[in-house]
């Protein structure tokens, strides 16, 4: 009986100590949490442009896969940025284009569907829709601007910071938690939660590549839909940094012209 009581007391003390340490690690300083995320954003915006080939693999709950091939163009000008994705394969999506333009704090997204020959503006009601049947939504593909979030707290772990931020402008997510590598200031995971506090999606970044002396970027990202047991993998190749990209790429002309 004495031995059981000793183990019980030890367990209670361990739980109390662990809880106390966790409370010490969590810092409820909005500005400090914001500054860490802003460093990530500043490093991502430290390049002027990028082009790349992208492969998308969508896996459904039964393990069946669908693949898409894309070409991407991105330009950065301070806090403003533009990105264009054009699908090249398979044939049933070839020529489909997706344009995102963020200027002056406003984001405009447009989708060109060659099968119907028209350009669709993605409004707020469609931002939670799946992008081309994947587990990324249009909102997920928008720029992660620090001004879109209200930062709550951060935890400091051995290799990464965990930063929680709510997203008032989102109908999908009540809040998100970012895992940010300390030395590289790169995102390694994003956890997405609904209003009930349930984690509904998770994004994992892998195979970080050093793009510049400041910027590390993943060669692969996987979005997991935890409710439907699905996932979508995107891999990057043939990256070119700080090359000249014509302005027309980021217009309706660029959307319709394709690759």
């Amino acid at each position: 009986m004495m031995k059981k009581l000793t183990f019980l007391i030890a367990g209670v003390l361990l739980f109390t100590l662990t809880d106390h340490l966790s409370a010490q690690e969590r810092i409820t300083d909005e500005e400090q949490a914001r500054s860490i995320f802003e460093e990530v954003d500043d490093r991502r915006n430290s390049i002027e442009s990028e082009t790349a080939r992208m492969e998308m693999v969508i896996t459904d709950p039964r393990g069946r896969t669908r693949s898409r091939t894309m070409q991407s163009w991105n330009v950065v000008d301070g806090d403003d940025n533009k990105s264009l994705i054009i699908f090249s394969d398979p044939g049933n999506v070839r020529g489909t284009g997706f344009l995102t333009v963020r200027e002056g704090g406003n984001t405009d997204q447009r989708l060109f569907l060659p099968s119907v020959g028209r350009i669709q503006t993605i409004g707020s009601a469609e931002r939670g829709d799946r992008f081309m049947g994947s587990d990324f939504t249009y909102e997920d593909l928008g720029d992660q601007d620090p001004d879109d979030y209200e930062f709550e707290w951060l935890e400091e772990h051995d290799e990464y910071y965990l930063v929680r931020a709510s997203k008032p402008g989102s109908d999908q997510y009540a809040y998100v938690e970012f895992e940010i590598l300390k030395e590289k200031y790169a995102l390694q995971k994003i956890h997405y939660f609904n209003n009930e506090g349930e984690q509904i999606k998770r994004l994992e970044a892998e195979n970080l590549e050093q793009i510049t002396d400041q910027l590390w970027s993943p060669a692969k990202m996987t979005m997991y839909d935890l409710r439907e047991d699905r996932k979508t993998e995107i891999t990057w190749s043939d990256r070119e940094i700080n090359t000249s990209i014509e302005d027309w790429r980021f217009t309706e002309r660029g959307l319709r012209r394709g690759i």
Side-chain angles (χ1 to χ4, degrees):
M1 182 65 182
M2 180 61 69
K3 183 180 289 187
K4 290 183 180 180
L5 182 59
T6 302
F7 278 123
L8 178 61
I9 293 172
V12 171
L13 288 173
L14 178 61
F15 176 82
T16 303
L17 178 60
T18 303
D19 186 60
H20 178 66
L21 289 175
S22 297
Q24 283 185 324
E25 292 169 355
R26 180 168 295 179
I27 304 170
T28 54
D29 185 331
E30 177 184 346
E31 290 307 312
Q32 188 170 350
R34 175 180 292 277
S35 67
I36 291 171
F37 190 82
E38 285 180 342
E39 178 65 24
V40 176
D41 190 58
D42 288 344
R43 295 193 183 204
R44 285 187 304 201
N45 293 339
S46 64
I47 61 173
E48 296 179 357
S49 67
E50 177 182 357
T51 63
R53 175 186 171 91
M54 302 166 67
E55 299 286 340
M56 175 188 286
V57 178
I58 304 167
T59 304
D60 72 12
R62 297 174 61 181
R64 297 172 299 187
T65 61
R66 289 176 290 158
S67 299
R68 282 100 165 78
T69 303
M70 304 164 282
Q71 181 71 28
S72 68
W73 296 262
N74 298 273
V75 295
V76 178
D77 182 11
D79 291 332
D80 298 337
N81 56 72
K82 304 174 184 178
S83 68
L84 175 66
I85 296 173
I86 301 290
F87 286 78
S88 56
D89 285 301
N92 64 337
V93 297
R94 185 176 298 127
T96 299
F98 179 58
L99 174 66
T100 299
V101 176
R102 184 178 182 97
E103 292 179 316
N106 298 313
T107 299
D108 179 61
Q109 293 181 316
R110 300 185 186 187
L111 181 70
F112 174 63
L113 301 170
S115 59
V116 296
R118 68 182 182 87
I119 294 175
Q120 173 188 354
T121 298
I122 305 300
S124 57
E126 293 83 37
R127 295 199 69 205
D129 294 348
R130 294 181 181 274
F131 171 65
M132 299 296 290
S134 74
D135 297 289
F136 290 86
T137 64
Y138 293 103
E139 179 180 336
D140 298 332
L141 295 174
D143 181 56
Q144 292 168 339
D145 191 293
D147 292 337
D148 294 338
Y149 298 95
E150 293 180 359
F151 292 89
E152 299 178 11
W153 50 255
L154 68 94
E155 289 179 355
E156 185 171 352
H157 297 261
D158 289 340
E159 297 182 353
Y160 66 91
Y161 298 104
L162 183 66
V163 175
R164 175 180 287 190
S166 58
K167 202 168 185 187
S170 174
D171 293 329
Q172 287 190 85
Y173 314 121
Y175 61 90
V176 293
E177 293 180 359
F178 301 100
E179 290 188 21
I180 299 170
L181 292 172
K182 284 184 174 180
E183 293 188 6
K184 298 179 174 67
Y185 278 93
L187 289 170
Q188 68 171 359
K189 289 182 184 178
I190 306 177
H191 307 271
Y192 302 84
F193 297 83
N194 62 15
N195 289 321
E196 287 71 43
E198 173 191 11
Q199 185 176 349
I200 55 177
K201 292 171 70 174
R202 182 179 72 253
L203 181 67
E204 295 186 1
E206 303 174 67
N207 304 336
L208 289 174
E209 300 175 335
Q210 187 168 11
I211 305 299
T212 68
D213 58 346
Q214 294 186 70
L215 178 63
W216 291 78
S217 189
K220 177 181 178 181
M221 298 184 76
T222 305
M223 181 69 84
Y224 296 89
D225 186 327
L226 303 179
R227 292 171 297 184
E228 299 193 19
D229 192 26
R230 296 169 38 114
K231 67 177 181 179
T232 298
E233 300 171 336
I234 297 180
T235 56
W236 282 259
S237 62
D238 302 331
R239 275 179 158 152
E240 293 187 14
I241 304 298
N242 295 335
T243 58
S244 178
I245 302 176
E246 301 91 337
D247 291 338
W248 62 261
R249 278 284 177 197
F250 307 101
T251 65
E252 291 194 357
R253 173 191 168 196
L255 264 180
R256 291 181 181 275
R257 177 170 173 173
I259 295 174

